[in-house]
Amino acid sequence: MENSLLTGTMKINQENHLEIGGVDTVKLVEKYGTPVYVYDVFQIKKQARAFKQAFSAQNITAQVAYASKAFACLAMYQLMAQEGLSVDVVSGGELYTAIQADYPPEKIHFHGNNKTESELIEALNYKIGCFVVDNFSELHLLHKLTTERKQEVNILLRVTPGVEAHTHEYISTGQEDSKFGFDLLNGQAKSAVDLALTMPYMKLIGLHSHIGSQIFETEGFIMAIDKLLASVKEWQKATAFDLEVLNLGGGFGIRYIESDKPLAISEYVDRIIAEVIAKTTEYGITMPEIWIEPGRSIVGDAGITLYQTGSEKEVPNVRNYLAVDGGMSDNIRPALYDAEYTGILANRGNDPVTETYSIAGKCCESGDMLIWDLPLPKAERNDILAVFSTGAYGYSMANNYNRIPRPPVVFVENGTDYLVVERESYADLMRLDRSLPKG
């Protein structure tokens, strides 16, 4: 295959090995074993800075919040804090990790459709910057807690605007059947605004929407902006609602395979800015801060996963299977979503491609397939397969199916590698197990 999918600092070096962050992947495997997740810190920083620069270039007041569900660990939160990004969390575990990273509390936004009382209390204790309220139940619970504590908080209301977008498809659906958010079309969103404005310790600063993922166009964002701001115009005729923040979520696409054609970051942001300016001007609405929540688009193509090849199986006139020492335990997306990936033999980067393999995982499931029909050189046992663009929803969705330990995570930058998450051991797998009672 062509090496056009190499991003950031990745290249094939003089040893014919894939190199990332100035570090030879063969040496990484010798040091850390396989499977192993490897992140190019340069590429993460580049993407984060590109989002911020796109707003600052137009003097637009904005917050770029890293959507940490894409990949969360202590070091990742620390890196995002160093880059000056806000962060969104969706669980007590993500919140706890961000707190352990000393994340600036005012830059933490708490999402989720079923925040527990204990999670809300922990966020209140830490005095986070914003709660993204998802439903009436949460609105009442947060009102109860803030009133008891006499603690003021900022909130956004998550609104379902009736727009869905995925990859290069977008549609205005009017769909009310979603577990997330207050529906705009059936009046729930307006009712939530009216109710929130009566709650003395909760300051309603704006609206949030998230229309989908792996979006390669801007039309869906434009449709959502138009619907949200048209509603705000109507609401402001009858209420004291002041739209200080318009959060348009994330979903900016990345390239997993050759045919994926995402836009440049600046193209997404410029089009969003232009539409918000146009509609606020048309409707006589004060220009709000624009918030966005990129996750995959910051870390996705910065990450690769390295495996060792193992057994082969040829099915004559059908396909050749090549197994690796990982699979759906470290990357469940192909089994879950039919997600597509590509890769190369990292220890033989420029060898001629002569074969086509379907890359099988080692889990005891026929659906444990990572890549179908991958062109490669003739593989040998213990070659190193590098799968590209695994930085988002790889480690964060990793699991212990078949009692397989989760891989380590390594950051690389300027020729240096450092471990940020240790490999699980078999003892780790049993750490919470307890024996049957005796007798």
Side-chain angles (χ1 to χ4, degrees):
M1 86 168 228
E2 297 180 3
N3 290 325
S4 59
L5 282 170
L6 302 186
T7 58
T9 63
M10 286 191 284
K11 67 178 184 178
I12 306 301
N13 64 21
Q14 293 182 345
E15 302 296 320
N16 198 26
H17 299 165
L18 176 64
E19 186 177 292
I20 180 170
V23 183
D24 191 317
T25 53
V26 173
K27 289 183 168 49
L28 289 171
V29 168
E30 291 171 354
K31 185 173 182 179
Y32 298 105
T34 55
V36 56
Y37 302 106
V38 183
Y39 282 84
D40 180 357
V41 175
F42 169 86
Q43 180 69 3
I44 294 173
K45 291 178 178 178
K46 176 185 172 185
Q47 296 296 97
R49 292 170 185 178
F51 277 108
K52 293 180 66 178
Q53 176 60 28
F55 287 104
S56 63
Q58 298 197 43
N59 294 315
I60 297 295
T61 304
Q63 277 196 47
V64 178
Y66 171 60
S68 63
K69 68 176 183 172
F71 168 58
C73 70
L74 182 67
M76 187 62 199
Y77 284 119
Q78 291 170 333
L79 180 58
M80 290 295 92
Q82 290 172 10
E83 290 299 309
L85 268 64
S86 297
V87 67
D88 86 54
V89 300
V90 299
S91 72
E94 288 182 356
L95 175 63
Y96 177 82
T97 310
I99 292 172
Q100 297 308 303
D102 293 324
Y103 219 94
E106 70 277 7
K107 289 190 172 185
I108 296 177
H109 311 158
F110 197 178
H111 283 260
N113 70 303
N114 188 28
K115 306 177 188 73
T116 66
E117 184 167 345
S118 61
E119 287 174 331
L120 291 173
I121 289 171
E122 186 64 29
L124 289 167
N125 288 343
Y126 199 59
K127 296 181 172 60
I128 68 165
C130 183
F131 292 84
V132 182
V133 176
D134 202 274
N135 49 65
F136 288 108
S137 176
E138 180 188 346
L139 193 61
H140 287 294
L141 178 56
L142 192 56
H143 169 58
K144 168 181 169 290
L145 293 173
T146 55
T147 301
E148 290 172 351
R149 299 163 65 102
K150 295 182 170 51
Q151 180 177 347
E152 295 183 354
V153 297
N154 293 325
I155 67 167
L156 301 179
L157 296 179
R158 177 163 180 168
V159 174
T160 306
V163 176
E164 288 187 281
H166 300 277
T167 312
H168 32 152
E169 297 178 356
Y170 63 94
I171 186 169
S172 180
T173 63
Q175 177 181 334
E176 300 175 17
D177 189 8
S178 171
K179 79 173 190 177
F180 293 111
F182 300 95
D183 190 80
L184 190 66
L185 302 183
N186 69 9
Q188 282 186 343
K190 173 60 164 56
S191 296
V193 168
D194 291 341
L195 182 58
L197 291 173
T198 70
M199 296 176 168
Y201 291 97
M202 296 204 289
K203 182 180 180 183
L204 175 59
I205 61 173
L207 304 177
H208 171 280
S209 76
H210 178 75
I211 60 172
S213 60
Q214 266 297 88
I215 301 169
F216 290 171
E217 310 286 350
T218 59
E219 284 85 349
F221 292 106
I222 302 313
M223 292 165 67
I225 290 166
D226 293 353
K227 289 189 173 192
L228 291 167
L229 292 182
S231 296
V232 170
K233 175 189 175 184
E234 293 303 311
W235 298 344
Q236 288 186 341
K237 293 177 181 178
T239 71
F241 177 48
D242 181 19
L243 185 72
E244 299 178 36
V245 172
L246 182 62
N247 188 330
L248 296 167
F252 311 103
I254 69 167
R255 190 162 64 157
Y256 284 101
I257 57 176
E258 193 70 39
S259 60
D260 289 339
K261 305 295 181 185
L263 301 177
I265 287 171
S266 59
E267 292 185 66
Y268 289 111
V269 173
D270 289 352
R271 189 71 182 90
I272 286 170
I273 291 171
E275 191 67 14
V276 173
I277 290 174
K279 288 302 177 182
T280 52
T281 301
E282 177 183 344
Y283 296 149
I285 299 170
T286 302
M287 178 72 182
E289 283 191 24
I290 300 174
W291 292 6
I292 59 170
E293 298 164 345
R296 183 199 317 261
S297 50
I298 288 179
V299 294
D301 64 6
I304 62 173
T305 307
L306 301 176
Y307 303 94
Q308 282 193 316
T309 59
S311 62
E312 294 184 42
K313 176 185 176 180
E314 181 180 354
V315 182
N317 302 315
V318 180
R319 72 178 72 253
N320 291 341
Y321 289 93
L322 177 64
V324 295
D325 57 351
M328 64 189 296
S329 54
D330 58 76
N331 187 356
I332 201 170
R333 293 186 70 251
L336 198 60
Y337 306 128
D338 291 324
E340 295 182 277
Y341 290 87
T342 190
I344 62 172
L345 292 183
N347 58 318
R348 298 163 55 192
N350 284 323
D351 280 13
V353 170
T354 59
E355 311 292 330
T356 299
Y357 294 101
S358 289
I359 307 302
K362 66 175 292 176
C363 291
C364 193
E365 291 285 340
S366 59
D368 184 18
M369 298 294 300
L370 289 174
I371 305 173
W372 294 98
D373 301 327
L374 176 65
L376 290 176
K378 174 62 178 172
E380 305 290 341
R381 182 174 280 272
N382 297 327
D383 275 336
I384 300 169
L385 180 71
V387 177
F388 296 128
S389 298
T390 60
Y393 306 107
Y395 172 79
S396 66
M397 298 177 78
N399 58 84
N400 295 128
Y401 184 53
N402 291 163
R403 293 295 248 187
I404 295 174
R406 285 176 293 186
V409 181
V410 176
F411 279 7
V412 290
E413 185 178 20
N414 298 325
T416 300
D417 56 270
Y418 44 100
L419 187 67
V420 298
V421 180
E422 293 186 13
R423 182 183 301 279
E424 282 185 329
S425 66
Y426 292 137
D428 290 330
L429 293 179
M430 293 190 62
R431 187 174 61 85
L432 301 179
D433 287 10
R434 296 295 180 264
S435 297
L436 286 173
K438 294 181 180 179

